[in-house]
Amino acid sequence: TIRDSVRTQASLADELGIERWRCVVGGSMGGMQALEWAVMFPDRLRSLVLASTAAQASAQQIAWSHIGRSAILADAAFRGGDYYGAAPGTGPHRGLRVARMAAQVTYRSDEVFTERFDRTLLDQMDFRMEPVFDVEGYLDYHGDKLARRFDANSYLHLNRAMDLHDVGRGRGGLQRALARID
């Protein structure tokens, strides 16, 4: 869990003799961890910087994450998560690629997508299934990029940890948890 990660980080900081951080900074999952630092150990940090994160996942975030995880799990090359002995390049890359593309859509608003891409064509418009629009090329690029450098099982577990994170769980709710931050 996100809290387990922070407990581990705190143990490492203890071993390193770090009593207090000048600033804890994080974005996305790192932002969830930074927020947990502030709630779990308010006396161990002086300041906090959060970016592109949440105190708890929204229903829509969980829905998009579910779609991404489902794409990985449905990939025939996933093999129930036991693909490590497979030949190079034969892992669940297609599912991971689709998961990343779905996630990329959540990183920007419709307005930003329209401003950046609108209905700009990559090539002349014709009826084919390959990317025709610039936005499709963008999604393909980011899907391919992640699939080349990231493990599908790791993606599944990290993604689920983000969905399950709720800084208010077990602390009397979100407002009470956030009230711990000075």
Side-chain angles (χ1 to χ4, degrees):
T1 68
I2 302 297
R3 288 183 194 174
D4 291 335
S5 295
V6 172
R7 281 196 237 356
T8 302
Q9 294 164 8
S11 293
L12 176 61
D14 291 344
E15 287 297 315
L16 296 173
I18 300 169
E19 295 177 17
R20 186 170 181 180
W21 298 103
R22 178 172 290 167
C23 185
V24 176
V25 179
S28 189
M29 181 182 226
M32 291 177 174
Q33 293 176 31
L35 188 57
E36 278 293 336
W37 262 98
V39 172
M40 293 170 73
F41 306 108
D43 297 333
R44 294 192 66 176
L45 61 141
R46 190 176 307 155
S47 60
L48 177 67
V49 176
L50 305 174
S52 302
T53 194
Q56 58 190 19
S58 70
Q60 187 173 42
Q61 288 170 309
I62 294 166
W64 279 109
S65 293
H66 177 68
I67 291 167
R69 287 191 305 271
S70 294
I72 294 169
L73 297 172
D75 188 325
F78 183 65
R79 298 182 189 99
D82 186 19
Y83 51 84
Y84 296 107
T90 61
H93 307 300
R94 287 185 182 117
L96 184 56
R97 182 176 181 269
V98 171
R100 178 57 168 199
M101 289 192 300
Q104 283 293 131
V105 173
T106 71
Y107 300 159
R108 292 181 170 79
S109 68
D110 182 46
E111 293 79 14
V112 170
F113 269 99
T114 300
E115 182 179 312
R116 179 165 177 192
F117 301 106
D118 199 26
R119 294 180 48 83
T120 306
L121 298 170
L122 288 172
D123 200 356
Q124 63 185 15
M125 190 161 99
D126 58 15
F127 193 85
R128 58 186 166 137
M129 292 303 118
E130 294 82 31
V132 174
F133 294 98
D134 190 22
V135 69
E136 293 172 314
Y138 166 83
L139 293 175
D140 282 347
Y141 170 79
H142 284 284
D144 290 338
K145 184 178 172 184
L146 183 79
R148 283 192 307 272
R149 68 177 173 82
F150 211 83
D151 176 68
N153 279 317
S154 295
Y155 186 97
L156 291 170
H157 288 279
L158 294 172
N159 183 268
R160 187 49 137 181
M162 291 174 70
D163 281 356
L164 293 171
H165 183 249
D166 179 350
V167 78
R169 183 181 296 118
R171 295 177 172 142
L174 183 59
Q175 295 308 318
R176 287 190 67 191
L178 295 178
R180 296 177 49 106
I181 301 172
D182 182 17

